[in-house]
């Protein structure tokens, strides 16, 4: 079992850790340099993964529901240059933050990132870990499950509603056709969807006070991982990159009336053998 | 890795179509690697589901007729998958890239210390090496990913609708699994609530009819749009604008903060096709759009953009599709 934090020990303070990722700005129209085959990062800002903002909001609301008897910590594995982005999460209202920053982490795969993040979260202690369902850059949606495994706790994914009932976490978990009511004993991890709550904007007061909040940094030596990190420990590697087949501009057909519109589409679907 | 193990996702006593797609691809991949193709089915419905899955080109189906899988979230499936994988030895594990598939794949990978690569649209075997081909950054680039350890396990989550299911008459062995010795299951499913009776999720449907801001409210999603999706045998999807307005559930959202899909046919109704939507659907086979504005961005990459009134066109199209399909039938 992981180290039990305050809430479970009956100390009436819930330790919530929000695991976040820093990603290239989602609204930028990204492109790949045809020569280097890498993402062109020039002019693209680093931002908090938008999915993780929902998790921060969920953590802050949980803290409010508990009458403030919670500590919300942000945890991310990212280069030190991401510190100012982490400060934005603190400006929303999180209490403190911890970053795992080590050049040796470069080239990590999702498992490597999850291991380093889990080690940091264990070190600071937790009752509940929250995260987004996926990231907007890699978007694999695999981190929540892996993080749960490495933390040694259950990972309740796709939660659209969270409630705490003593040391039991109750959630509504989205499914393709509706939702499930799921319960789990703390300590646990939950990933939340955007339906959980609209993330708040940082207030001026929040931005000012974030400047004074602590951001702790761990290097790999602090974490005692049982496997090599970074590229050396990666279990997958990119062996080739290619440009996708271009999508040509198709036909644009203004129609005189609704019947013509329906007919044009039907004939097109028949021509493409899609009926 | 030589053998291939497929996680069979099922619903209401039937395998999901994507499970059959994976079973068929597992055959080809196992043949190329010189190994066997396995499937794992977990839950009270497992024996019934196996009767359907055995018509696909597998060597062995492992069934876990365990009602716990219906009472506890995902951990039972993970425990049985892990048990089969350990018994088989270093293998390639295929899961569907769906909500359940990702949940199973990520945990199994962590337990087996396996490499994992997501959202593959193709699997290629080169010598003894397996490569997963996946569109990344919303289809901006196509990445070929390999596993670094040939003596370890690998997990690939595979996008639905990219492989054809292929029936087979060859004999399949069905074995029953013993309950694995593993930690107690922790997440209890208290209640299952069906809000939309839709059988198909947007990730799995081969035809998706999506609505956007142009629909103006929640009613057309349940009415006009649903009717067209039903007539085509597809699922209803939505743009971020429609989800943010509260007109339809987030599970239906296509795009950057929703799902990335590759249906054979995508019909975008009243959706402008901004970059954040485009990255979720640009790998669709055929894209048809209906919009009142000829200058919307979707016109730049749709195969057909009909400029007109969606409220008039869609019901008429539904009627014509029904008539055309009735003739075909």
């Amino acid at each position: 079992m992981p180290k039990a934090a305050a809430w479970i020990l009956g100390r009436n303070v819930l330790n919530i850790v929000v695991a976040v990722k820093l990603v290239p700005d989602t609204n930028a129209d990204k492109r790949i340099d045809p020569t280097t085959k890498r993402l062109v990062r020039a002019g693209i800002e680093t931002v908090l993964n938008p999915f993780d903002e929902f998790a921060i909001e969920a953590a802050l609301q949980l803290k409010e529901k508990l009458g403030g008897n919670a500590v919300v910590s942000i945890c991310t594995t990212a280069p030190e240059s991401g510190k100012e982005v982490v400060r934005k999460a603190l400006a929303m209202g999180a209490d403190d933050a911890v970053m795992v920053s080590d050049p040796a982490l470069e080239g990590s795969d999702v498992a490597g990132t999850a291991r380093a993040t889990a080690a940091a979260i264990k070190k600071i202690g937790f009752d509940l870990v929250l995260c987004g369902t996926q990231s907007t850059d890699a978007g694999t949606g695999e981190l929540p499950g892996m993080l749960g495994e490495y933390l040694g706790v259950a990972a309740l994914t796709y939660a659209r509603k969270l409630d705490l009932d003593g040391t039991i976490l109750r959630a509504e978990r989205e499914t393709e056709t509706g939702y499930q009511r799921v319960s789990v004993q703390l300590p646990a991890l939950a990933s939340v969807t955007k339906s959980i709550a609209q993330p708040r904007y940082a207030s001026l007061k929040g931005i000012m006070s974030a400047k004074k909040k602590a951001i702790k940094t761990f290097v790999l030596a602090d974490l005692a991982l049982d496997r090599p990190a970074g590229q050396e420990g990666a279990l997958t590697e990119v062996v080739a990159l290619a440009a996708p087949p271009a999508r040509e501009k198709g036909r644009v057909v203004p129609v005189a009336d609704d019947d013509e519109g329906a007919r044009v589409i039907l004939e097109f679907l028949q021509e493409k053998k899609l009926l | 890795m030589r053998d291939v193990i497929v996680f069979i996702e099922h619903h209401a006593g039937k395998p999901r179509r994507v499970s059959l797609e994976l079973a068929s691809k597992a055959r080809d991949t196992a043949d190329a690697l010189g190994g066997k193709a396995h499937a794992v089915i977990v839950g009270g419905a497992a024996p019934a589901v196996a009767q359907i899955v055995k018509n696909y080109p597998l060597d062995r189906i492992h069934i876990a007729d365990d009602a716990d899988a219906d009472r506890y979230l995902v951990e039972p499936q993970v425990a049985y998958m892990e048990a089969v994988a350990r018994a088989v030895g270093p293998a390639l594990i295929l899961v569907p890239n769906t909500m359940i598939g990702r949940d199973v794949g990520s945990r199994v990978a962590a337990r087996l210390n396996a490499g994992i690569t997501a959202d593959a649209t193709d699997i290629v075997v080169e010598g003894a090496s397996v490569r997963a081909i996946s569109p990344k950054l919303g289809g901006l680039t196509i990445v070929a990913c390999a596993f670094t350890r040939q003596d370890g396990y690998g997990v690939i989550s595979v996008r639905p609708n990219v492989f054809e299911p292929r029936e087979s008459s060859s004999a399949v062995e069905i074995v029953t699994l013993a309950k694995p010795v593993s930690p107690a299951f922790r997440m209890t499913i208290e209640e299952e609530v069906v809000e939309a009776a839709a059988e198909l999720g947007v990730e799995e449907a081969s035809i998706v009819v999506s609505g956007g801001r142009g629909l103006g409210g929640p009613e057309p999603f349940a009415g006009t749009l649903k009717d067209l999706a039903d007539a085509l045998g597809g699922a209803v999807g939505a743009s971020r604008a429609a989800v943010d307005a509260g007109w339809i559930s987030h599970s239906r959202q296509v795009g950057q903060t929703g799902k990335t899909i590759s249906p054979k046919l995508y019909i975008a109704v009243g959706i402008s096709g901004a970059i954040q939507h485009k990255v979720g659907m640009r790998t669709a086979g055929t894209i048809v759009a209906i919009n009142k504005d000829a200058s919307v961005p979707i016109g730049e990459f749709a195969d057909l953009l009909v400029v007109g009134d969606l409220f008039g066109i869609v019901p008429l199209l539904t009627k014509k599709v029904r008539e055309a399909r009735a003739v075909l039938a």
Side-chain angles (χ1 to χ4, degrees):
Chain A
M1 278 300 279
K3 188 166 75 182
W7 186 261
I8 293 152
L9 297 174
R11 255 183 254 132
N12 206 29
V13 176
L14 184 78
N15 283 334
I16 308 173
V17 179
V18 187
V20 305
K21 188 176 185 190
L22 310 189
V23 299
D25 185 4
T26 18
N27 292 316
D29 194 355
K30 301 179 205 71
R31 60 189 186 86
I32 302 292
D33 185 310
T35 328
T36 63
K37 290 178 176 159
R38 283 170 185 260
L39 176 68
V40 178
R41 283 184 182 267
I44 298 182
E45 221 187 320
T46 297
V47 299
L48 270 178
N49 173 31
F51 286 92
D52 298 337
E53 290 186 19
F54 301 110
I56 298 170
E57 180 60 35
L60 296 174
Q61 291 196 8
L62 213 47
K63 178 174 176 172
E64 283 157 10
K65 264 193 239 172
L66 295 170
N69 291 326
V71 176
V72 176
S73 305
I74 304 295
C75 181
T76 190
T77 295
E80 279 214 87
S81 57
K83 215 167 200 169
E84 289 320 301
V85 183
V86 170
R87 222 170 270 289
K88 286 182 186 156
L90 296 175
M92 284 175 72
D95 297 294
D96 54 27
V98 54
M99 292 181 74
V100 185
S101 303
D102 197 315
L105 280 163
E106 223 168 280
S108 292
D109 56 3
V110 57
T113 308
R115 274 176 195 276
T117 307
I121 293 172
K122 276 194 208 171
K123 204 173 162 80
I124 60 176
F126 68 99
D127 300 302
L128 174 62
V129 175
L130 297 179
C131 57
T133 51
Q134 68 202 74
S135 64
T136 51
D137 56 348
T140 60
E142 283 153 354
L143 186 100
M146 298 192 103
L147 197 52
E149 289 292 327
Y150 296 139
L151 288 168
V153 300
L156 203 170
T157 50
Y158 305 103
R160 64 174 202 184
K161 194 163 180 276
L162 287 178
D163 268 310
L164 207 57
D165 176 0
T167 60
I168 294 171
L169 182 72
R170 297 190 187 281
E172 284 183 11
R173 178 186 186 272
E174 272 183 23
T175 63
E176 294 292 0
T177 54
Y179 65 94
Q180 299 166 315
R181 284 187 211 285
V182 182
S183 66
V184 63
Q185 174 73 45
L186 294 181
L189 175 145
S191 76
V192 303
T193 72
K194 64 183 281 184
S195 307
I196 200 145
Q198 196 56 35
R200 66 193 65 188
Y201 288 103
S203 64
L204 188 60
K205 190 170 156 244
I207 294 167
M208 296 311 286
S209 67
K211 292 181 178 163
K212 290 181 230 107
K213 289 176 180 169
I215 301 180
K216 195 188 293 182
T217 303
F218 288 144
V219 293
L220 284 177
D222 298 320
L223 299 176
L225 298 183
D226 55 1
R227 283 217 348 233
Q231 194 141 26
E232 194 197 340
L235 297 164
T236 57
E237 62 180 343
V238 171
V239 288
L241 279 165
R247 200 146 200 137
E248 304 285 319
K249 183 180 169 74
R251 278 151 56 192
V252 176
V253 185
V255 293
D257 57 43
D258 299 338
D259 192 67
E260 189 195 342
R263 189 163 43 76
V264 166
I265 296 171
L266 186 82
E267 284 169 3
F268 180 78
L269 297 182
Q270 285 171 328
E271 176 195 318
K272 293 269 179 187
K273 300 194 169 23
L274 285 164
L275 282 190
Chain B
M1 76 188 55
R2 291 157 66 91
D3 284 15
V4 182
I5 306 170
V6 177
F7 171 70
I8 301 291
E9 183 177 341
H10 54 91
H11 176 74
K14 293 196 187 102
R16 294 278 195 186
R17 182 188 148 97
V18 61
S19 304
L20 306 175
E21 295 167 6
L22 262 53
S24 306
K25 186 63 184 176
R27 169 82 278 144
D28 306 337
T29 311
D31 285 348
L33 290 168
K36 294 198 179 326
H38 305 255
V40 178
I41 312 175
V42 184
V49 174
Q51 288 309 307
I52 301 170
V53 176
K54 72 171 191 203
N55 297 317
Y56 292 81
L58 295 156
D59 294 304
R60 188 174 296 163
I61 298 174
H62 307 256
I63 60 170
D65 180 1
D66 185 342
D68 266 358
D70 309 317
R71 287 198 295 266
Y72 296 97
L73 185 63
V74 85
E75 289 174 312
Q77 285 83 351
V78 174
Y80 283 105
M81 281 295 287
E82 183 191 1
V84 171
R86 290 204 189 278
V88 167
L92 176 68
I93 295 166
L94 304 183
V95 299
N97 189 25
T98 57
M99 293 169 92
I100 288 293
R102 283 189 290 272
D103 265 8
V104 171
S106 59
R107 289 166 171 82
V108 168
R111 290 190 187 183
L112 295 170
N113 194 21
I116 180 163
T117 170
D119 200 20
T121 52
D122 202 2
I123 297 167
V124 181
V125 177
E126 285 185 17
S129 160
V130 176
R131 292 179 176 194
I133 314 297
S134 318
K136 292 287 173 194
L137 293 167
L140 258 187
T141 183
I142 310 292
V143 172
C145 212
F147 299 104
T148 55
R149 289 176 42 197
Q150 297 310 318
D151 57 342
Y153 291 89
V155 177
I156 303 177
S157 81
V158 181
R159 192 182 286 195
N161 290 314
V162 297
F163 299 120
E164 277 299 317
R166 186 176 78 237
E167 288 194 46
S168 153
S169 55
S170 59
V172 183
E173 184 189 0
I174 299 182
V175 297
T176 302
L177 294 168
K179 192 140 182 137
V181 181
S182 96
F185 305 136
R186 297 165 289 193
M187 294 184 281
T188 312
I189 301 170
E190 316 271 3
E191 191 189 0
E192 187 86 47
V193 181
V194 176
E195 287 181 320
E199 280 282 299
L200 280 177
V202 285
E203 286 177 303
E204 195 189 7
S206 61
I207 296 177
V208 174
V209 183
S210 275
R213 201 190 300 274
L215 267 69
E219 297 81 12
F221 282 94
T224 314
L225 218 57
K226 177 83 165 60
D227 289 345
L228 178 56
D230 286 348
L232 288 163
V236 172
S239 73
R240 181 173 76 185
V243 172
D244 285 354
W247 298 342
I248 187 163
S249 153
H250 173 240
S251 65
R252 299 272 143 192
Q253 186 183 323
V254 175
Q256 188 147 45
T257 51
K259 286 171 176 149
T260 302
I261 59 174
S262 298
K264 287 192 179 67
L265 170 63
Y266 189 84
I267 303 183
V269 182
I271 294 176
S272 67
I275 181 70
Q276 90 83 28
H277 189 72
K278 183 182 177 184
V279 300
M281 41 67 86
R282 72 168 126 202
T283 55
T286 299
I287 299 173
V288 173
I290 306 171
N291 210 291
K292 63 172 192 265
D293 182 355
S295 66
V296 283
I298 205 164
E300 295 303 312
F301 59 95
D303 299 288
L304 172 67
L305 167 63
V306 166
V307 184
D309 174 31
L310 66 93
F311 295 102
I313 293 172
V314 174
L316 283 173
L317 176 60
T318 304
K319 186 163 162 273
K320 285 182 197 291
V321 166
R322 288 220 168 95
E323 288 164 2
R325 294 197 105 181
V327 173
L328 289 175

